């Protein structure tokens, strides 16, 4: 059972921070924003740790994303801090049905032009004042709208070394990253909610976003990676097994500038899900999969891609 300490202002939290979960708040743009920070048992004052920001999907919240992704276990195994921000809703103080402004998506956060990049950077800044955080090993991930938000912080912030999006493609309205960023995406061609081929303008949902491949191509070009992917052998589920009629193929582009890579794990027969997650809502989200463990794969990717010396390191 996860036990969180009482919610407190992140700027005034008592030191030293002990391993565990902290419910924290920050004043941002006349709003009180909230997030959960998980501190692993490896925390030491003299040893800087990596930090991973994990964004929830539209309609969800930080608590649900912590539980669904199961990333606390991965953080404790490998020794990194993980942060789960809460998006915003229609009403002030709303705790459910939240979203992030990922540029071209989604919900009230996009309509209200909420500065979620600024919020993310404020979280990194305040935690870096409270913990030994390695500024060259800042990463982001997320589910659906949260995956889109991970893409946006990679594009709009100078601080992140790599990101891994789950079921959420690049959806920014302006793509001008300041430095090379390694990018990984997990996406199913059979995802009914964040469609692989994108959603055209004037769709019935009033939500538009480009195809997965378009976003991958943009990152490949920006990082100056080879345009032709190295395509791995498909991994398929055994007949009659939990993963029957499913497959996943790895497409890797790289190396690019400063050793960056762009990697796509393309699934078939899988829904709008976090690969390896133990929880599932198949009627709503489609079929889950355990063909691979997204947490372990993205962490290995992050560990291999710190920020290049001299890049980023800025709060602006």
């Amino acid at each position: 059972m996860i036990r969180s300490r009482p919610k407190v202002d992140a700027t005034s939290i008592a030191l030293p921070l002990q391993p565990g979960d902290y419910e924290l708040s920050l004043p941002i743009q006349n709003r009180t924003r909230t997030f959960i920070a998980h501190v692993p048992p490896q925390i030491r004052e003299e040893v800087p740790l990596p930090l991973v920001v994990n964004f929830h999907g539209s309609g969800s919240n930080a608590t649900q994303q912590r539980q669904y992704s199961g990333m606390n276990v991965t953080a404790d195994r490998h020794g990194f801090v993980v942060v789960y921000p809460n998006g915003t809703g229609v009403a002030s103080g709303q705790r459910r049905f939240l979203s992030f402004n990922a540029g071209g998506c989604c919900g009230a956060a996009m309509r209200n032009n909420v500065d979620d990049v600024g919020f993310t950077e404020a979280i990194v800044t305040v935690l870096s004042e409270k913990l030994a955080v390695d500024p060259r090993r800042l990463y982001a991930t997320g589910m659906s709208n949260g995956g889109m938000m991970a893409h946006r912080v990679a594009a709009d912030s100078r601080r992140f070394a790599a990101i891994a999006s789950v079921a959420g493609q690049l959806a920014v309205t302006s793509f001008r990253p300041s430095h090379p960023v390694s990018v990984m995406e997990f996406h199913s061609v059979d995802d009914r909610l964040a469609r692989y081929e994108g959603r055209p303008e004037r769709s019935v949902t009033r939500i538009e976003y480009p195809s997965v491949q378009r976003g991958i191509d943009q990152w490949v070009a920006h990082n100056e990676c080879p345009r032709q992917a190295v395509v791995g052998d498909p991994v398929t589920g055994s007949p009659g097994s939990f993963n029957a009629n499913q497959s996943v193929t790895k497409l890797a582009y790289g190396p690019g500038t400063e050793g960056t890579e762009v990697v796509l794990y393309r699934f078939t027969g899988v829904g709008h899900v976090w690969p390896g997650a133990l929880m599932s809502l198949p009627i709503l989200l489609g079929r889950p999969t355990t063909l691979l463990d997204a947490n372990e794969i993205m962490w290995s990717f992050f560990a291999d891609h710190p920020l290049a010396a001299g890049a980023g390191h800025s709060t602006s």
Side-chain angles (χ1 to χ4, degrees):
M1 179 178 179
I2 298 172
R3 294 184 178 180
S4 296
R5 292 162 174 80
K7 187 179 298 179
V8 298
D9 186 329
T11 61
S12 62
I13 190 169
L15 296 176
L17 293 186
Q18 301 299 315
D21 284 25
Y22 296 80
E23 295 189 19
L24 303 172
S25 64
L26 278 174
I28 303 288
Q29 288 188 324
N30 299 317
R31 299 173 182 262
T32 299
R33 300 295 302 270
T34 59
F35 62 98
I36 299 170
H38 176 74
V39 180
Q42 294 89 340
I43 190 68
R44 300 288 187 276
E45 184 176 351
E46 68 279 5
V47 181
L49 295 183
L51 184 148
V52 176
V53 182
N54 188 342
F55 298 100
H56 63 74
S58 181
S60 186
N61 59 39
T63 299
Q64 292 172 342
Q65 180 64 8
R66 175 181 62 180
Q67 184 177 10
Y68 179 48
S69 67
M71 190 162 280
N72 279 10
V73 174
T74 312
D76 289 351
R77 181 180 300 123
H78 297 288
F80 61 88
V81 178
V82 58
V83 175
Y84 306 91
N86 274 308
T88 55
V90 176
S92 177
Q94 189 172 326
R95 296 177 64 88
R96 296 184 178 183
F97 305 108
L98 308 177
S99 64
F100 293 103
N101 179 11
C105 184
C106 298
M110 180 189 69
R111 293 193 299 271
N112 295 331
N113 196 29
V114 175
D115 184 7
D116 281 318
V117 174
F119 173 42
T120 304
E121 292 195 327
I123 291 173
V124 172
T125 296
V126 73
L127 288 183
S128 297
E129 295 169 352
K130 305 295 181 179
L131 296 166
V133 172
D134 188 339
R136 292 186 58 205
R137 294 189 291 167
L138 302 177
Y139 308 105
T141 186
M143 173 69 193
S144 190
N145 170 225
M148 294 178 179
M149 188 64 213
H151 276 292
R152 185 170 189 189
V153 296
D156 289 0
S157 172
R158 298 174 62 185
R159 305 181 75 170
F160 288 83
I163 64 108
S165 174
V166 179
Q169 51 263 70
L170 177 68
V172 297
T173 54
S174 177
F175 183 73
R176 292 193 298 269
S178 62
H179 64 285
V181 184
S182 289
V183 171
M184 175 173 283
E185 179 147 355
F186 303 85
H187 217 115
S188 174
V189 300
D190 296 309
D191 188 328
R192 301 190 306 268
L193 298 181
R195 295 180 180 176
Y196 192 90
E197 69 275 12
R199 219 183 261 280
E201 188 176 0
R202 298 179 182 177
S203 68
V204 294
T205 63
R206 298 183 181 179
I207 298 174
E208 60 182 270
Y209 47 82
S211 70
V212 170
Q213 192 60 50
R214 179 183 173 185
I216 293 295
D217 291 343
Q218 285 179 278
W219 281 116
V220 166
H222 171 71
N223 290 336
E224 298 183 341
C225 293
R227 294 184 180 181
Q228 190 68 33
V230 176
V231 181
D233 294 331
V235 176
T236 59
S238 301
S241 72
F242 180 84
N243 298 312
N245 301 316
Q246 295 181 355
S247 72
V248 59
T249 303
K250 179 182 178 181
L251 294 86
Y253 304 80
T257 305
E258 297 174 353
T260 51
E261 289 184 277
V262 178
V263 177
L264 171 64
Y265 282 92
R266 187 175 62 199
F267 291 84
T268 66
V270 174
H272 187 68
V273 298
W274 191 280
L278 298 179
M279 300 174 59
S280 67
L281 296 169
I283 295 177
L284 177 64
L285 302 178
R287 286 188 63 192
T289 185
T290 57
L291 281 175
L292 54 78
D293 183 335
N295 288 359
E296 288 293 326
I297 288 176
M298 73 173 69
W299 172 249
S300 179
F301 183 72
F302 291 161
D304 287 343
H305 295 94
L307 199 64
H313 299 245
S314 172
T315 59
S316 61

